């Protein structure tokens, strides 16, 4: 049986090549994903570990559970604690670190590095006058408040050299710093494309903390002292609001975070690889059905001379094993290339990946081979089992076993039940898990029902097909001749288009909701904030003062957030300028008014419901300086993603803040939004590279850019499934041409020319593809609507938006798929010798 299986593999090279290609694409996607994520994860982990080589124990601020300190009272690491740590037995060297955000402008005034990795820190010289973490490649360390040093990569990107003046920003005002040194570093953020600026310790403390305070204290162990032993000794001297962590633990924690971040990407990519493989199952099953149909007499003869049903099935599975093994090896090799290509592509997009080797783990090799073999054998099992059931006498007389009425009734009943349950779960689902289960059941149900659906939907195309005469009529009849095979082929395309359409509907609806939110919630012409991670530090109050002083500004308000104890819980209070807040926002009030004077507060309806507040309620608050006050709720409004929470006048919260920082500043101008006005605001802030000035369209476009980028990535991933579906259409048409050799020969003999034969096959392919396209787009719209019902609970402005243009394009692409897939089968059918075809069994 093994020799027979090998002979059968080699006897049908062309058709098996398509099967190998279908499996290869799916396996390549799987192995490429594993290689890419393992390579990037390993590079980041090794890079981050280098950053901890000089740290044996790190002391950091820590808020203990049950801490009764006042809200906002952030833990601090003092100079006294650093001095005490230096005297601990086994401590060889102690370094005080201060760090935060520092945006550096290039010579064109644009922000260098990724916003979330634009960091600033202090240069802390040791006994030898040098900081071992940052060896200077040229120049010297900064000593004065107007000096700075930058990393080598940033200097190269910005074209800086020692002695240049660099424009940068920390919290708002532009700093013009003299570049005194360029250093090298193993910092993982710099390796990932970020920037690092170093100030002297005193300047860094003024920028990021307070004089004499540190954000971290790093301790180097003396020879012979282990990290654990040093940590135990340091634990004895630490106050309650500080904790010690070994360098090994820090490196492991960061490695775990990187692995966790990569796991999300890996899972997403493997899902799409799974979709490609799932689609490929239809192709493999069709291919083996075709191959078995070609050698029905051969299998019958084997049965007649003594082969059992199990042996026939086993020969088909052995054949599938060989095909799967070949496809698995080829897919693994292709996947290694894909992994390397994705890493290179990531670098071309502007992201910098640390140097490191391509990682091909044993698990990647095993997974790729296992996936290729198991998927192929799983898809081939049913055709093999069906072939073994054909009675030898019937097979030898070319009497093909057709599907019985009973089997179709059973299939349609199962499909109808699955579709009904899936649709019901999708409609009434209240969680993502239930929605996913319902969508999966509905998709499977529709797949099972596709033979039943194919006849009426394809029949609907009859009026159009009549235009093409006898070729159109024959194409319609051929498309419904074997509804099971037609349905399996259309389903492959249906799955890809369902996902593509569903994602497009959700993305378009979310974007429309965001546009509406920006329009509905804001009267302000501009919102000013820090770029990237700098937003976490906030804006200096000087920014708001400069904007308010401009003659073209008619109203402005900084938004300040401070933590306070509200009742027994910690909650954020947002401070605004009460006298101008109504001119800058458009809030819909459920009850009360938008007036904010004295100790009045307005609250969004969800927060009020959580706390059990109503109009006129008195709220006891404890500010971060420990002082207490009482607020009165004077208005309840519909909250949204842009404006929500507890809003009070800045005069109430500002006196209690230890450090005043603004999250953003809302601005309204005389002339509204224009390039000239925006330029005026930018110039007033000193052309600051770290400050972004956005109007409503900018806010919407920034979010839309992220949505479109994600959508394009998903389209690219789903393109693999569509390519596999194209192979399925080719396979189905090739099978159809083989089964109709005599018919095609007779049609040629009675006068249908080669062009008519080609047109017939192409129209059949077009009908099958459009059938799958219509089903896919219909299901995609339904799933998009169902997902939107859940999104609506968290996004009040969400409404279903159908992207008619894109859906029309998707249907057009389905038609193009059908036309392209028919090129080879149509040419093969037209070139068939009519006499040989008529004599074919």
């Amino acid at each position: 049986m093994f020799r027979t299986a090998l002979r059968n593999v080699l006897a049908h090279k062309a058709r098996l090549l398509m099967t190998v290609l279908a499996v290869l694409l799916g396996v390549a996607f799987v192995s490429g994903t594993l290689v890419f994520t393992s390579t990037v994860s390993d590079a980041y982990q090794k890079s981050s570990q280098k950053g901890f080589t000089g740290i044996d124990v790190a002391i950091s601020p820590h808020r203990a559970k049950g801490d009764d300190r006042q809200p906002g009272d952030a833990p601090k690491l003092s100079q006294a604690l650093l001095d005490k740590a230096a005297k601990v037995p086994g401590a060889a060297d102690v370094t005080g670190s201060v760090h935060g955000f520092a945006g550096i402008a290039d010579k064109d005034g644009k922000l260098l590095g990724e916003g979330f990795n634009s960091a600033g820190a202090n240069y802390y010289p040791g006994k030898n006058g040098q900081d071992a973490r940052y060896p200077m490649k040229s120049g010297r360390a900064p000593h004065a408040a107007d000096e700075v040093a930058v990393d080598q990569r940033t200097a190269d990107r910005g074209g800086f050299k020692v002695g240049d003046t660099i424009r940068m920003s920390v919290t708002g005002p532009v700093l013009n710093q003299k570049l005194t040194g360029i250093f090298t570093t193993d910092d993982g953020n710099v390796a990932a494309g970020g920037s690092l600026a170093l100030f002297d310790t005193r300047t860094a403390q003024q920028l990021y903390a307070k004089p004499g305070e540190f954000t971290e204290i790093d301790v180097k162990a003396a020879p012979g002292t282990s990290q654990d032993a040093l940590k135990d000794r340091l634990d004895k001297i630490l106050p309650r609001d500080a904790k010690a962590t070994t360098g090994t633990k820090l490196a492991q924690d960061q490695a775990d975070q990187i692995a966790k971040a990569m796991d999300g990407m890996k899972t997403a990519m493997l899902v799409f690889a799974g979709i490609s493989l799932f689609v490929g199952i239809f192709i493999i099953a069709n291919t083996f059905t075709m191959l078995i149909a070609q050698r029905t007499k051969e299998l019958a003869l084997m049965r007649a001379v003594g082969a059992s049903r199990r042996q026939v099935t086993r020969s088909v599975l052995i054949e599938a094993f060989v095909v799967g093994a070949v496809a698995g090896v080829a897919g693994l090799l292709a996947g290694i290339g894909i992994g390397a290509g994705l890493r290179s592509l990531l670098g071309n997009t502007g992201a910098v990946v640390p140097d490191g080797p391509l990682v091909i783990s044993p698990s990647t090799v095993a997974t790729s081979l296992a996936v290729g073999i198991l998927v192929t054998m799983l898809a081939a099992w049913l055709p093999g089992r069906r072939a073994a059931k054909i009675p030898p006498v019937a097979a030898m007389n070319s009497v093909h076993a057709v599907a019985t009425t009973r089997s179709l009734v059973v299939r349609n009943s199962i499909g109808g039940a699955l579709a009904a349950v899936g649709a019901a779960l999708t409609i009434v689902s209240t969680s993502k898990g239930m929605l996913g289960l319902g969508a999966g059941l509905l998709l499977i149900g529709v797949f099972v029902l596709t033979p039943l659906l194919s006849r009426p939907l394809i029949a609907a195309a009859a009026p159009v097909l009549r235009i093409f005469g006898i070729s159109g009529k024959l194409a319609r009849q051929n498309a419904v001749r074997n509804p099971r095979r037609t349905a399996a082929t259309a389903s492959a395309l249906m799955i890809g288009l369902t996902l593509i359409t569903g994602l497009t509907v959700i993305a378009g609806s979310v974007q429309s909701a965001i546009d509406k939110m920006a329009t509905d919630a804001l009267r302000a012409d501009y919102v000013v904030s820090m770029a990237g991670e700098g937003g976490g530090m906030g804006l200096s109050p000087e920014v708001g003062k400069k904007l308010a002083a401009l003659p073209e500004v008619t109203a402005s308000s900084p938004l300040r957030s401070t933590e306070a104890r509200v009742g027994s819980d910690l909650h954020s209070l947002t401070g605004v300028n009460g006298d101008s807040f109504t001119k800058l926002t458009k809030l819909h009030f459920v009850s009360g008014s938008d007036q904010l004077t004295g100790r009045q507060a307005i609250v969004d309806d969800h927060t009020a419901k959580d706390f059990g507040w109503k109009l006129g309620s008195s709220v006891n608050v404890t500010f971060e300086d420990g002082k207490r006050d009482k607020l009165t709720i004077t208005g309840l409004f519909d909250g949204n993603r842009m404006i929500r929470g507890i809003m009070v006048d800045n005069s109430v919260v500002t006196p209690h803040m230890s450090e005043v920082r603004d999250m953003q500043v809302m601005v309204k101008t005389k002339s509204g939004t224009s390039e000239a006005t925006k330029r005026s605001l930018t110039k007033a802030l000193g052309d600051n590279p770290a400050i972004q000035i956005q109007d409503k369209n900018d806010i919407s476009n920034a979010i839309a850019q992220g949505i479109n980028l994600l959508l394009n990535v998903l389209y690219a991933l789903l393109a693999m499934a569509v390519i596999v579906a194209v192979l399925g259409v080719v396979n189905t048409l090739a099978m159809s041409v083989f089964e109709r050799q005599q018919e095609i020969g007779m049609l040629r003999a009675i006068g249908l020319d080669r062009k008519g034969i080609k047109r017939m096959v192409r129209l059949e392919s077009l009908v099958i593809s459009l059938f799958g396209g219509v089903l896919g787009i219909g299901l995609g719209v339904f799933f998009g609507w169902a997902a939107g019902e859940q999104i609506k609970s968290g996004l009040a402005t969400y409404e279903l938006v159908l992207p008619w243009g894109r859906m029309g394009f998707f249907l057009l692409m389905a038609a193009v798929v059908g036309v392209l897939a028919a090129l080879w089968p149509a040419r093969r059918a037209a070139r068939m010798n009519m006499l040989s075809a008529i004599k074919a069994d």
Side-chain angles (χ1 to χ4, degrees):
M1 298 305 295
F2 182 73
R3 288 195 300 270
T4 301
L6 287 180
R7 180 181 60 80
N8 290 330
V9 169
L10 299 175
H12 307 282
K13 299 181 184 67
R15 293 191 186 99
L16 281 174
L17 180 62
M18 288 189 290
T19 302
V20 170
L21 185 58
V23 182
L24 183 152
L25 288 171
V27 172
F29 207 161
V30 172
S31 58
T33 297
L34 296 175
V35 169
F36 169 68
T37 53
S38 297
T39 298
V40 174
S41 179
D42 181 72
Y44 276 118
Q45 286 178 11
K46 288 180 177 178
S47 176
S48 67
Q49 287 170 358
K50 289 180 181 178
F52 294 108
T53 53
I55 302 174
D56 287 314
V57 179
I59 302 172
S60 58
H62 174 63
R63 175 169 288 181
K65 289 184 179 179
D67 198 331
D68 58 357
R69 287 171 304 153
Q70 302 302 336
D73 184 17
K76 302 175 180 65
L77 302 179
S78 64
Q79 181 68 46
L81 179 59
L82 185 146
D83 295 337
K84 191 183 291 186
K87 297 176 182 178
V88 169
D93 191 29
V94 180
T95 301
S97 297
V98 188
H99 50 78
F101 170 81
I104 302 174
D106 62 14
K107 293 186 177 181
D108 295 326
K110 295 181 179 180
L111 190 65
L112 270 174
E114 299 297 331
F116 58 88
N117 283 330
S118 300
N122 67 312
Y123 188 89
Y124 193 90
K127 296 176 183 178
N128 60 356
Q130 297 179 356
D131 190 333
R133 300 172 300 175
Y134 310 116
M136 289 291 161
K137 185 172 183 180
S138 61
R140 60 169 176 82
H143 297 152
D146 62 347
E147 295 180 345
V148 71
V150 299
D151 66 272
Q152 177 70 57
R153 293 185 185 226
T154 300
D156 291 342
R157 287 201 304 269
F160 301 135
K161 61 182 184 295
V162 173
D164 287 349
T165 297
I166 295 179
R167 299 178 68 255
M168 58 191 306
S169 177
V170 173
T171 60
V174 175
L175 304 176
N176 291 300
Q177 304 290 111
K178 182 181 179 181
L179 181 61
T180 62
I182 297 173
F183 60 90
T184 58
T185 177
D186 290 326
D187 189 291
N189 286 333
V190 174
S195 63
L196 179 60
L198 297 181
F199 305 92
D200 68 281
T201 298
R202 184 176 179 180
T203 302
Q205 288 174 333
Q206 291 174 341
L207 292 172
Y208 302 123
K210 289 182 179 179
E213 292 181 357
F214 300 95
T215 53
E216 184 174 293
I217 297 174
D218 301 326
V219 186
K220 181 73 174 174
T225 303
S226 67
Q227 290 186 357
D228 290 331
L230 181 58
K231 177 184 177 301
D232 291 340
R233 294 168 190 171
L234 288 169
D235 282 337
K236 296 176 182 178
I237 67 157
L238 294 182
R240 187 182 180 189
D241 57 5
K243 69 174 182 178
T245 310
T246 63
T248 301
K249 179 70 165 56
L250 288 173
Q252 184 58 50
D253 288 346
Q254 184 147 338
D256 291 342
Q257 289 176 3
I258 293 170
K260 188 176 181 180
M262 295 303 298
D263 280 344
M265 180 190 295
K266 182 190 298 184
T267 301
M269 293 178 71
L270 287 176
V271 165
F272 289 98
I275 293 169
S276 298
L277 288 169
F278 182 64
V279 172
I281 286 176
F282 300 133
I283 301 172
I284 300 165
N286 273 357
T287 300
F288 276 91
T289 300
M290 176 171 60
L291 295 177
I292 289 167
Q294 285 182 316
R295 57 178 199 269
T296 302
K297 286 188 177 182
E298 175 190 325
L299 295 175
L301 183 61
M302 290 173 59
R303 290 287 311 283
V305 298
S308 65
R309 287 184 178 182
R310 183 174 296 179
Q311 286 178 311
V312 171
T313 304
R314 191 183 303 151
S315 71
V316 175
L317 291 178
I318 292 172
E319 190 174 336
F321 175 85
V322 174
V323 172
V326 172
V329 172
L332 173 62
L333 296 175
I336 293 172
I338 289 174
L342 285 174
R343 176 179 171 174
S344 176
L345 181 63
L346 189 65
N348 292 335
T349 61
V352 181
V353 181
D355 296 331
L358 202 64
V359 178
I360 307 167
S361 64
S363 61
T364 298
V365 176
T367 300
S368 301
L369 294 177
V371 166
I373 292 170
L374 291 176
V375 167
T376 309
M377 293 183 70
L378 176 65
W381 175 76
L382 188 59
R385 184 170 176 269
R386 191 183 297 135
K389 283 185 174 183
I390 300 175
V393 174
M396 293 177 76
N397 286 282
S398 298
V399 180
H400 297 284
V402 296
T404 63
T405 303
R406 180 175 177 275
S407 69
L408 290 175
V409 170
V410 170
R411 175 173 179 147
N412 293 336
S413 300
I414 294 173
L418 288 173
V421 173
L425 284 175
T426 303
I427 292 171
V428 303
S429 60
T430 57
S431 65
K432 292 181 181 179
M434 289 290 289
L435 178 62
L437 177 61
L441 289 176
L442 178 56
L443 196 61
I444 294 172
V446 171
F447 163 66
V448 176
L449 286 173
T450 41
L452 179 65
L453 297 173
S454 63
R455 289 185 179 278
L457 288 179
I458 292 176
V464 178
L465 292 175
R466 288 196 191 102
I467 299 173
F468 300 95
I470 189 63
S471 296
K473 183 178 180 180
L474 291 171
R476 183 182 64 80
Q477 292 175 347
N478 292 335
V480 296
R481 174 176 296 184
N482 191 330
R484 289 175 181 264
R485 191 172 62 229
T486 297
T489 305
S491 296
L493 194 58
M494 176 192 75
I495 292 170
L497 285 179
T498 295
L499 296 171
I500 289 174
T501 305
L503 291 169
T504 304
V505 169
I506 294 170
S509 300
V510 168
Q511 181 58 47
S512 175
I514 292 168
D515 290 341
K516 189 176 180 182
M517 183 188 300
T519 303
D520 291 350
L522 291 178
R523 282 195 179 98
D525 295 317
Y526 295 99
V527 175
V528 181
S529 60
M530 292 291 286
E533 189 66 17
M537 292 194 63
L539 291 164
S540 166
E542 294 299 317
V543 172
K545 292 177 181 178
K546 285 184 178 180
L547 292 171
L550 295 176
E552 60 263 43
V553 173
T554 58
S556 68
S557 173
L559 273 68
R560 292 172 185 164
S561 180
T562 181
E563 194 176 56
R565 191 175 296 280
V566 181
S568 58
D569 299 321
L570 290 177
H571 203 82
S572 291
L573 299 181
T574 301
V576 297
N577 288 352
D579 57 348
S580 58
F581 187 63
T582 55
K583 302 175 184 177
L584 300 165
T585 58
K586 292 189 294 184
L587 299 178
H588 175 261
F589 277 79
V590 178
S591 59
S593 68
D594 56 0
Q595 297 301 314
L596 277 176
T597 57
R599 284 162 177 75
Q600 296 176 338
I602 60 173
V603 187
D604 73 89
D605 50 353
H606 292 294
T607 302
K609 185 178 180 180
D610 291 341
F611 281 97
W613 297 334
K614 57 184 180 180
L615 200 64
S617 293
S618 293
V619 180
N620 294 314
V621 297
T622 303
F623 296 103
E624 62 177 81
D625 61 357
K627 293 183 180 179
R628 301 179 180 180
D629 209 337
K630 183 177 289 187
L631 304 176
T632 302
I633 305 298
T634 59
L636 302 176
F637 63 91
D638 287 332
N640 56 62
R641 296 265 177 182
M642 299 189 71
I643 301 175
R644 57 184 174 180
I646 306 171
M647 320 288 290
V648 296
D649 190 86
N650 274 324
S651 62
V652 176
V653 298
T654 303
H656 304 288
M657 297 174 68
S658 59
E659 187 177 15
V660 180
R661 289 284 184 266
D662 297 330
M663 296 183 295
Q664 56 185 223
V665 180
M666 295 186 293
V667 177
K668 191 167 183 62
T669 63
K670 291 178 182 178
S671 56
T673 58
S674 67
E675 284 299 321
T677 302
K678 188 173 184 178
R679 180 60 195 159
S680 176
L681 298 180
T682 303
K683 187 176 181 180
L685 297 177
D687 290 317
N688 195 314
I691 292 181
Q692 57 184 5
I693 302 173
Q694 298 176 300
D695 59 21
K696 295 173 187 177
N697 287 334
D698 292 333
I699 294 171
S700 179
N701 291 338
I703 299 172
Q705 186 176 8
I707 292 175
N708 288 332
L709 177 62
L710 177 61
L711 201 58
N712 289 335
V713 170
L714 296 177
Y715 284 167
L717 295 174
L718 285 170
M720 186 74 73
V722 175
I723 292 172
V724 175
V726 172
L727 296 176
V729 178
V730 175
N731 254 355
T732 296
L733 293 175
M735 187 187 307
S736 179
V737 169
F738 165 75
E739 287 183 348
R740 301 200 308 270
Q741 288 185 77
Q742 286 185 330
E743 177 186 321
I744 291 172
M746 289 296 295
L747 289 171
R748 290 290 314 285
I750 61 176
L752 189 63
D753 59 11
R754 290 185 174 182
K755 287 185 178 180
I757 295 293
K758 285 183 179 181
R759 188 181 302 118
M760 176 187 71
V761 176
R762 288 170 183 166
L763 288 173
E764 179 184 350
S765 175
L766 182 64
V767 167
I768 293 173
S769 297
L770 288 176
F771 169 52
V774 169
L775 283 180
I777 291 172
L779 283 173
V781 170
F782 178 72
F783 291 148
W785 166 82
E789 290 300 301
Q790 292 193 3
I791 295 172
K792 189 182 293 185
S793 61
L795 192 60
T797 54
Y798 184 93
E799 290 181 359
L800 181 67
V801 176
L802 295 181
W804 294 107
R806 288 202 178 190
M807 289 194 297
F809 176 74
F810 296 155
L811 195 60
L812 177 63
M813 289 306 298
V816 171
V817 164
V819 173
L820 293 178
L823 292 178
W824 175 66
R827 186 168 180 269
R828 183 170 179 268
R831 297 182 65 181
M832 193 178 295
N833 184 287
M834 69 178 74
L835 295 179
S836 299
I838 292 172
K839 291 192 299 180
D841 291 331

